[in-house]
């Protein structure tokens, strides 16, 4: 089942479109990776899918429901997001940070029920962050912070998970650890995942589908092995062939 369906989406700021006429779908348990240069529109698309920016035109559906017809709370339960901006939660414990993911369920007073606490427990178990529960968020490493923020996103029990450059702060050890964890979670929870990545080699390993975005336009949508080839990447990123061959690894 397609948990996320995007049709003819135009996204941007105010009346200024940044990305135009995008159509794609993601099933439960699948990952779609947005690949493009800085300024290609990846973050704008993710912020529009997450409701941080209004849809300029087109439709977005989650589990068969048009998001334009969903109330704010139902949407927040269905779609969870990790953006590149770090939350200002350094004085909170990691457990506190994870529990903030339950806000759509807690009502206006923000009181956690036993069900909310159980969801936080499970999210921390799944992301191997249980040992960090009592530690201040500001005192842990970048790799640990990403795992805690992933736990917060998963704690909401969403159908769709959106991640904007989730490995951008991380060294290679934490990049691979984070992506392996995400790979396991999307299968166990049957999540539809959309993420942006700079590292095309990592996208090729984790994504089921790749969308190439260039200057706000989709230039390719398909399997990583078909789109992340030497020739396509040289063209897409406008890299001289000899430069690509020498430094791409």
């Amino acid at each position: 089942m397609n948990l996320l369906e995007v049709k003819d989406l135009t996204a941007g700021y105010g009346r200024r479109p940044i990305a135009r006429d995008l159509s794609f779908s993601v099933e439960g348990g699948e990952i779609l990776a947005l690949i493009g240069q800085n300024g290609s529109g990846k973050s704008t698309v993710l912020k529009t899918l997450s409701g941080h920016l209004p849809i300029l035109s087109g439709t977005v559906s989650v589990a068969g429901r048009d998001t334009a017809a969903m109330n704010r709370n139902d949407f927040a339960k269905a779609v969870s997001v990790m953006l590149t901006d770090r939350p200002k939660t350094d004085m909170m414990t990691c457990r506190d940070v994870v529990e903030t993911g339950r806000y759509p369920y807690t009502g206006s007073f923000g009181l956690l029920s036993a069900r909310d606490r159980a969801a936080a427990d499970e999210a921390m178990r799944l992301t191997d962050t249980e040992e960090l529960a009592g530690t201040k968020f500001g005192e842990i490493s970048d790799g640990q912070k990403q795992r805690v923020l992933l736990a917060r996103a998963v704690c909401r029990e969403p159908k769709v998970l959106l991640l904007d450059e989730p490995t951008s702060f991380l060294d290679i050890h934490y990049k691979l650890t984070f992506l392996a964890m995400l790979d396991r979670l999307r299968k166990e929870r049957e999540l539809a995942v959309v993420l942006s990545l700079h590292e095309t080699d990592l996208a090729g390993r984790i994504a089921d589908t790749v969308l190439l975005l260039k200057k706000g336009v989709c230039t390719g949508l398909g399997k990583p092995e078909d789109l992340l080839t030497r020739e396509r990447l040289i063209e897409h990123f406008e890299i001289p062939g000899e430069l690509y061959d020498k430094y791409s690894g």
Side-chain angles (χ1 to χ4, degrees), residues 86 140-148 169-170 174 178:
R86 290 290 178 84
I140 61 177
S141 70
D142 284 335
Q144 291 170 325
K145 284 178 179 176
Q146 290 299 80
R147 285 193 285 139
V148 170
F169 295 102
L170 309 181
Y174 279 118
F178 182 89

Side-chain angles (χ1 to χ4, degrees), residues 67-134:
T67 58
M70 296 173 70
N71 66 48
R72 185 174 180 179
N73 216 48
D74 286 346
F75 180 82
K77 290 177 181 178
V79 179
S80 197
V81 60
M82 277 180 61
L83 298 176
T84 51
D85 297 334
R86 290 290 178 84
K88 298 184 184 304
T89 53
D90 285 357
M91 297 308 296
M92 298 171 67
T93 68
C94 293
R95 171 77 187 203
D96 292 336
V97 172
V98 173
E99 288 178 347
T100 63
R102 295 299 293 177
Y103 83 84
Y105 301 89
T106 58
S108 57
F109 293 104
L111 298 176
L112 295 172
S113 66
R115 176 71 189 86
D116 295 323
R117 290 192 168 86
D121 289 338
E122 178 66 2
M124 297 191 81
R125 184 190 68 79
L126 289 169
T127 54
D128 298 328
T129 52
E130 293 168 297
E131 77 283 359
L132 300 173

Side-chain angles (χ1 to χ4, degrees), residues 100-198:
T100 63
R102 295 299 293 177
Y103 83 84
Y105 301 89
T106 58
S108 57
F109 293 104
L111 298 176
L112 295 172
S113 66
R115 176 71 189 86
D116 295 323
R117 290 192 168 86
D121 289 338
E122 178 66 2
M124 297 191 81
R125 184 190 68 79
L126 289 169
T127 54
D128 298 328
T129 52
E130 293 168 297
E131 77 283 359
L132 300 173
T135 305
K136 291 285 194 301
F137 184 75
E139 297 175 356
I140 61 177
S141 70
D142 284 335
Q144 291 170 325
K145 284 178 179 176
Q146 290 299 80
R147 285 193 285 139
V148 170
L149 294 177
L150 180 61
R152 182 178 71 167
V154 170
C155 181
R156 194 176 297 181
E157 301 176 298
K159 293 178 173 64
V160 175
L161 180 61
L162 309 172
L163 305 101
D164 190 9
E165 301 292 352
T167 61
S168 60
F169 295 102
L170 309 181
D171 63 27
I172 187 61
H173 170 80
Y174 279 118
K175 286 181 196 288
L176 297 177
T177 300
F178 182 89
L179 291 178
M181 188 170 295
L182 180 63
D183 194 30
R184 187 181 79 234
L185 281 170
R186 57 91 171 234
K187 293 171 182 174
E188 291 185 10
R189 291 292 183 95
E190 286 290 304
L191 296 169
V193 179
V194 180
L195 78 164
S196 59
L197 282 175
H198 279 304

